[in-house]
Amino acid sequence: MQLQLISIVLILHCMEYTNCQHHGSRHRLNKQGSGVSSQGCQGGCQTCSVYNGCLTCKPKLFIHLERDGMRQIGVCLASCPNGFYGTRSPDRNDCIKCGSECDSCFNRNFCLRCRAGSYLHKGKCMESCPDGLVPSDTKKECVPACPADCDSCQNSDVCTRCALGHFLLQGQCHHVCPDEFEPNDSMECIPTVHCEMGEWSEWGPCSRSGKTCGFKWGEETRTRKVLQNPSPMGSSCPATFEKRECFVKRKRCKPKGQRRGEKKKRFNLQEKENGEARRERKREREKETIDREHSESRNKTEHRRRRDQSRDAGTV
């Protein structure tokens, strides 16, 4: 098939350059621009014709034949499309079709990627892999039963335990955990956790030596909480406490005597309340005593009445 395509191109060259067929069909004779030209060519063509497209390409470009119904049109490309490989010669660079089992290739005998249903091994596309290898549906290649640096695996693409000195992440083994991951005690890469802080509180009252009076310059403070502690390799937490100098309108502290008077007043008020409570408890105890005496008196009266009734009945 490739030889036929090359032959067609050579025939076209002959027709265009030497006009070996002096009398073609009437359609061709009347068709403007059917001759070879280097003017008006597009897409990297060095010479071209209206009917057959590019005939030769500019240096470093590959000529590729595309079928359009019963004819083939030449196009010039920087690289050959899938299913073709490029060959270079002093005169021209051609795109040659890969073998039927190759999706892309380096040359006719060395595949780079296989079509569906085949797996790549040493430049060949194979329907089944050699002994010791298994097909990988993701890579479309014959690969070892377990991934590299893997101690045990689920299949050829997914590792479940890594060899010594390696760390597991998403079924793959790594010499060093990627960015934003860190190793744990199980030799796995886990996400790095950074510190998270809450919002600052409002500034507290301006004070000095624990007092809020008797000074002009003092300090005020504010705090915030740690919402998320960091992992060993995460960013550390900043300060949770902050203070700054503050200025207040100076005011005098209350005299000590006035404070003693207020303390005595509070004491007297408390004593008054305690006295009323004691008197109330005394009244309750007296009431209980009176109720108990009345109850005992009624019991004695009832006892004498029954005794007298019993004596009268015996006399009769």
Side-chain angles (χ1 to χ4, degrees), residues 111-303:
C111 290
L112 298 176
R113 188 172 61 249
C114 299
R115 297 188 186 278
S118 297
Y119 300 93
L120 184 66
H121 178 60
K122 295 183 178 180
K124 302 293 183 182
C125 292
M126 314 177 71
E127 292 184 359
S128 59
C129 294
D131 293 341
L133 300 177
V134 295
S136 170
D137 291 330
T138 56
K139 297 180 180 179
K140 300 297 182 183
E141 298 176 5
C142 292
V143 297
C146 282
D149 304 321
C150 189
D151 197 25
S152 64
C153 59
Q154 179 178 333
N155 52 46
S156 61
D157 298 316
V158 180
C159 186
T160 56
R161 187 175 67 250
C162 295
L164 185 65
H166 296 79
F167 305 95
L168 182 67
L169 175 63
Q170 298 176 351
Q172 302 297 316
C173 294
H174 300 262
H175 292 283
V176 179
C177 290
D179 291 342
E180 294 301 318
F181 287 87
E182 61 184 72
N184 62 8
D185 295 337
S186 301
M187 303 300 289
E188 297 175 335
C189 294
I190 59 174
T192 299
V193 179
H194 300 289
C195 178
E196 293 184 19
M197 302 294 295
E199 298 293 331
W200 283 105
S201 67
E202 297 293 332
W203 287 100
C206 192
S207 64
R208 184 175 180 180
S209 300
K211 298 180 181 179
T212 58
C213 59
F215 62 89
K216 187 174 182 180
W217 290 97
E219 286 184 347
E220 56 185 1
T221 61
R222 65 177 182 175
T223 59
R224 58 180 174 178
K225 294 182 179 180
V226 176
L227 303 180
Q228 174 67 62
N229 289 309
S231 59
M233 296 183 66
S235 58
S236 59
C237 292
T240 58
F241 175 86
E242 194 174 64
K243 64 180 181 180
R244 67 181 181 184
E245 193 175 39
C246 56
F247 170 80
V248 294
K249 184 177 181 180
R250 188 167 185 174
K251 60 180 179 180
R252 293 181 178 275
C253 296
K254 293 181 179 180
K256 293 183 178 179
Q258 184 177 355
R259 290 199 297 271
R260 284 197 298 268
E262 292 178 352
K263 184 176 180 181
K264 184 176 181 181
K265 184 177 179 180
R266 289 196 300 271
F267 176 78
N268 292 337
L269 180 61
Q270 185 176 359
E271 283 294 313
K272 181 178 179 182
E273 293 175 350
N274 292 339
E276 291 179 354
R278 287 195 295 272
R279 286 191 292 273
E280 180 65 24
R281 288 195 297 272
K282 182 178 180 180
R283 285 193 295 268
E284 290 178 354
R285 287 195 298 271
E286 290 175 351
K287 184 176 181 300
E288 291 176 356
T289 300
I290 294 172
D291 291 341
R292 186 169 58 255
E293 290 176 351
H294 287 172
S295 177
E296 291 176 354
S297 177
R298 286 195 300 272
N299 290 338
K300 288 180 180 179
T301 302
E302 180 65 20
H303 180 71

Side-chain angles (χ1 to χ4, degrees), residues 24-53:
S25 65
R26 182 174 299 176
H27 174 73
R28 278 202 166 183
L29 288 174
N30 294 332
K31 193 174 185 67
Q32 292 184 356
S34 60
V36 177
S37 174
S38 60
Q39 298 180 353
C41 295
Q42 298 180 357
C45 296
Q46 191 170 34
T47 59
C48 60
S49 72
V50 175
Y51 189 76
N52 295 109

Side-chain angles (χ1 to χ4, degrees), residues 1-10 96 108:
M1 181 64 182
Q2 299 297 328
L3 293 177
Q4 292 176 353
L5 296 178
I6 295 172
S7 299
I8 293 173
V9 174
L10 293 176
I96 309 299
R108 184 179 295 275

